[in-house]
Amino acid sequence: MQSTNKEIVLDSQTINDRVRELGQEISRDYHDKELVVIGVLKGAFIFMADLVREISVPVATDFIQVSSYGGSASSSGKITLVSSPSQIIEGCHVLLVEDIIDTGLTMQWLASHFSDQGAASVKICSLIDKAERREHKIKIDYPGFAISQGFLIGYGLDYDQQYRNLPAIYHLIT
Ligand code: IMP
Ligand code: MG
């Protein structure tokens, strides 16, 4: 299952270095705020695990899961809430952590979801900003890497639930 045609895009050292910078930047910005990092399951779980260990200020962690994609590489265009954070969001400074922002539909939905719940602020950190197919304008406060196109796998990113365990990020060649 793990033998596939793929081309490396970001090696683990490059990812680690950038994750460290993001952690430092977030720590500076939130030193006087109660930070709640919300990971968007499932894709963000590896990035988030590394990111929170680079954050040096107090941080609460939680997760949300929504579904927009079916089993494949194309969006269904509709968001459904699968599971919610257990944390009370009202009054919290929420930092949403996502693996990749593609059309922006998921993140637009999530940002308004957390605003509706009364978050004191909602900011966005995405490891990858893939702007090629963007349909919804999103301000990414903490972008990791801009990758213009293609379908990416590894470091949490999946194709049909596979390849999340790859330590680097690759273009899937079909
Ligand atoms: P959006 O709503 O179109 O921005 O889609 C965001 C979600 O689609 C991400 O959280 C990923 O789960 C998935 N996705 C988009 N592009 C890729 C990719 O290149 N590889 C893996 N998953 C992707
Ligand atoms: Mg995702």
Side-chain angles (χ1 to χ4, degrees):
M1 205 57 196
Q2 294 286 334
S3 71
T4 184
N5 284 338
K6 58 188 193 308
E7 213 165 69
I8 190 137
V9 179
L10 300 165
D11 63 27
S12 4
Q13 190 59 58
T14 306
I15 297 170
N16 294 350
D17 291 348
R18 185 67 188 126
V19 171
R20 179 160 306 127
E21 288 173 357
L22 289 170
Q24 288 167 352
E25 204 183 324
I26 291 164
S27 303
R28 279 195 298 274
D29 293 354
Y30 286 89
H31 74 275
D32 56 352
K33 294 187 183 79
E34 255 182 67
L35 171 60
V36 182
V37 167
I38 308 272
V40 184
L41 292 171
K42 301 172 197 165
F45 83 108
I46 289 180
F47 172 43
M48 170 150 156
D50 285 345
L51 181 69
V52 294
R53 284 178 290 175
E54 300 294 346
I55 294 178
S56 56
V57 297
V59 54
T61 53
D62 214 320
F63 295 93
I64 188 167
Q65 186 169 13
V66 294
S67 72
S68 59
Y69 276 54
S72 70
S74 66
S75 175
S76 67
K78 192 174 164 276
I79 305 293
T80 318
L81 185 60
V82 177
S83 70
S84 298
S86 51
Q87 168 107 23
I88 307 253
I89 296 303
E90 196 176 353
C92 292
H93 292 280
V94 169
L95 178 63
L96 290 167
V97 173
E98 178 62 296
D99 53 356
I100 186 166
I101 299 179
D102 183 17
T103 65
L105 176 71
T106 308
M107 199 37 91
Q108 190 184 60
W109 189 94
L110 286 167
S112 59
H113 177 75
F114 284 100
S115 299
D116 291 351
Q117 306 246 303
S121 68
V122 180
K123 284 192 178 188
I124 296 168
C125 176
S126 182
L127 180 66
I128 298 178
D129 173 11
K130 192 169 78 173
E132 183 195 27
R133 304 198 308 158
R134 191 68 38 84
E135 287 169 22
H136 307 271
K137 199 167 176 282
I138 302 288
K139 179 179 175 248
I140 306 178
D141 302 281
Y142 304 99
F145 301 94
I147 306 283
S148 58
Q149 51 159 10
F151 196 82
L152 303 170
I153 53 170
Y155 196 72
L157 292 152
D158 76 304
Y159 177 68
D160 233 353
Q161 301 304 328
Q162 293 292 318
Y163 315 116
R164 295 193 198 273
N165 58 318
L166 296 175
I169 293 177
Y170 298 85
H171 266 140
L172 180 67
I173 314 284
T174 47

